[in-house]
Amino acid sequence: APHELVRETVYGSIHGPIRTAMHREAVTIVQDEGGSAVEAGWHVLRSGPRGDKKAVRLLWRAATEMTDYAPAAAAGLVQHALKIMNPRDPERPSLCGEGLSLLAAAGCIDEALGVGQQALQGPLDPVTEVSLRCGLAEALKHAGRNQAALDYAEPGLRVDGVPDALRAKLWAVIAHAR
C-alpha cells in the first residue's frame, strides 16, 4: 500500500540514534497506557541495549504472552532477550530454564540445547538446576532423543528442595521419553 511505502521511507530517513530513542520512548508510553508486552516488546527489539534488565524482562513477558499462538515469534523474542542480556547476570540461568521450553516448542532444538547446556555450567540453586535439566530433557524429547532426555531428567528427581509442580513436569518428560 502507498501509505506503507511512505511510512517506511520516513522511518528509514530518521537517523539511527534518534530512531532508537523514539523506540525507547515508545516502550514507556505503551507501558504507561497499559499496552501489551508484545507491543512494547516490538519497540524493545529496536532499542534494547545490551545489559538492559528491564528490556530483557519485557521481552520475556512478551514471549510468554505469545507462546500459545505464535511459538516461533516467542522463540525469537527469547533469542533476542538472551542476546542483549549480560552473560554474567545472576538471573540468566533461571531465565534460560524458562526459555528452553519456548525454544523447543518452536523447533529451535539446537539453540535450546546450547542455551541450556551453557546455563547448566557453574554453581546453581536446586530449582534452577532442575528447571534447566527439565528444559533440556524436553528439548531432547522433541528431537526424538529419548535416552538423552532421560539422562538430563532423571538426576533432577534426586535434587532436594524442588517444588512439586517442577518435579511433576520432570516425571511427565520421563514418562514420555520412556
Side-chain angles (χ1 to χ4, degrees):
H3 65 280
E4 184 65 23
L5 181 59
V6 170
R7 188 187 74 74
E8 287 296 321
T9 301
V10 171
Y11 183 80
S13 70
I14 298 171
H15 194 263
I18 294 170
R19 219 177 17 237
T20 298
M22 289 171 64
H23 283 294
R24 285 187 188 148
E25 184 63 25
V27 170
T28 302
I29 291 169
V30 168
Q31 289 181 312
D32 288 349
E33 293 183 359
S36 75
V38 174
E39 182 181 359
W42 184 85
H43 292 289
V44 168
L45 287 174
R46 286 145 186 84
S47 67
R50 186 161 189 75
D52 183 343
K53 283 187 172 200
K54 184 178 174 184
V56 168
R57 279 288 185 203
L58 182 60
L59 288 171
W60 222 270
R61 204 167 72 241
T64 302
E65 283 181 17
M66 58 193 314
T67 298
D68 291 339
Y69 63 88
L77 294 177
V78 167
Q79 290 166 331
H80 189 73
L82 290 172
K83 185 173 104 181
I84 67 171
M85 186 176 209
N86 183 334
R88 290 181 193 69
D89 188 318
E91 292 181 31
R92 187 178 179 89
S94 176
L95 286 175
C96 287
E98 293 173 26
L100 289 178
S101 59
L102 291 174
L103 292 169
C108 303
I109 305 300
D110 290 337
E111 180 150 5
L113 294 175
V115 165
Q117 289 166 344
Q118 181 186 24
L120 200 54
Q121 304 302 309
L124 300 169
D125 65 86
V127 173
T128 300
E129 177 190 343
V130 174
S131 177
L132 286 164
R133 288 183 166 285
C134 188
L136 284 162
E138 282 183 309
L140 289 160
K141 179 182 59 89
H142 283 298
R145 295 173 53 196
N146 293 330
Q147 185 56 54
L150 292 171
D151 292 343
Y152 276 106
E154 288 175 336
L157 293 174
R158 294 188 292 272
V159 177
D160 292 327
V162 176
D164 289 341
L166 183 53
R167 194 171 297 282
K169 200 172 176 183
L170 273 176
W171 278 114
V173 172
I174 289 168
H176 192 268
R178 285 187 179 161

